[in-house]
Amino acid sequence: MEKRRPLIAGNWKMHKTSAEAADFVRRFLPLVSGLRDRDIVLAPAFPALEAVAAALAGSAVALAAQDAFWETEGAFTGEVSPRMLAAAGCRYVILGHSERRQFFGETDETVRRKVAAVLAAGLIPIVCVGEREEERERGQTFSILDKQLRDGLKDSFTADAGRLVLAYEPVWAIGTGRTATAAQAQEAHAFLRNRLAELGTPAFAAGVRILYGGSVKPENTAELMGMPDVDGALVGGASLQAESFARIVAAAQPGPRKGTAIEP
Ligand code: PGA
């Protein structure tokens, strides 16, 4: 089994018009052009996708959407299908982000449908899971992660491991400046990888990349990436400036595989 290639994704959430997004790309690409041993992904808002796709043309940086609906087309006002995203140049789709769960009624069941549809369209889902602060305090972290994983990926444990990405994003660490410690991240990532082995196969679990998200900054990236089961980062606030996101990408060296929950 190949080593898991680091993946660093910038989630711009509801920031940047097309012009602002294209301007970011022009400044960002020269800063990361030498970093060819890792996957770099940008997730702009829907209206900026095509402008970013055009600005990224010819580069190794890939495009992601922040959500997708599970149907291919039809009377679903306001929704965007995986097929449309693929045609707009996307390779990845973020699904089940905690903000969508909190503000837009996303559930493990809607995540499950979306993951299946995104995979069927040939795109790579980045599926977000993570516990809220009160759940961690009550000692429910692992049971919450287990449920989100089991129900959200129910149809997808037989997928090609290289075509599925998980993101562990503790809700209490998102946008708060309170990053999980590297040890807390590793503990959750190892739990998720062990469950992937039980729900899928050990080879599947060894191949799925698990990103950490929640107040990732240039200063804490290397330590998080040093953990054996942390394969990359999903970055919100610190991905909005080209220099700061480029510093995170540069710091995201492949971690040691020694001590990984499941040996590749
Ligand atoms: P943050 O967001 O880096 O601003 O904490 C992470 C995310 O929501 O993906």
Side-chain angles (χ1 to χ4, degrees), residues 60-247:
V61 177
L63 187 65
Q66 298 175 14
D67 189 23
F69 193 53
W70 56 77
E71 295 286 350
T72 304
E73 60 179 20
F76 302 105
T77 301
E79 292 299 320
V80 176
S81 75
R83 177 169 173 264
M84 292 168 175
L85 296 175
C90 289
R91 183 164 164 71
Y92 297 85
V93 184
I94 298 170
L95 293 174
H97 190 281
S98 65
E99 287 150 16
R100 297 221 57 87
R101 294 178 192 258
Q102 184 182 348
F103 302 123
F104 305 104
E106 193 84 76
T107 63
D108 293 331
E109 171 59 15
T110 58
V111 171
R112 178 189 68 78
R113 290 182 175 210
K114 290 178 176 190
V115 172
V118 162
L119 284 168
L123 296 169
I124 302 177
I126 301 176
V127 186
C128 303
V129 296
E131 81 287 359
R132 296 200 305 264
E133 180 154 39
E134 61 272 23
E135 292 165 340
R136 175 166 281 266
E137 280 165 3
R138 282 193 227 117
Q140 296 172 334
T141 299
F142 294 148
S143 61
I144 293 291
L145 294 180
D146 185 54
K147 182 175 185 319
Q148 291 176 341
L149 192 68
R150 238 181 323 111
D151 294 352
L153 294 188
K154 196 182 278 170
D155 304 327
S156 310
F157 293 112
T158 51
D160 172 355
R163 305 199 59 83
L164 189 77
V165 178
L166 264 189
Y168 169 59
E169 298 210 309
V171 179
W172 47 270
I174 296 178
T176 59
R178 256 179 82 195
T179 322
T181 64
Q184 284 171 325
Q186 169 59 24
E187 183 187 37
H189 285 224
F191 172 81
L192 290 167
R193 201 177 304 284
N194 280 319
R195 288 300 285 141
L196 287 174
E198 287 159 7
L199 295 160
T201 63
F204 175 72
V208 170
R209 287 177 290 182
I210 308 179
L211 317 182
Y212 168 78
S215 298
V216 173
K217 302 181 254 286
E219 296 75 30
N220 58 28
T221 304
E223 193 188 353
L224 288 160
M225 287 298 293
M227 295 292 117
D229 287 290
V230 176
D231 306 315
L234 182 53
V235 187
S239 72
L240 291 171
Q241 260 93 46
E243 294 71 23
S244 132
F245 191 46
R247 282 174 61 207

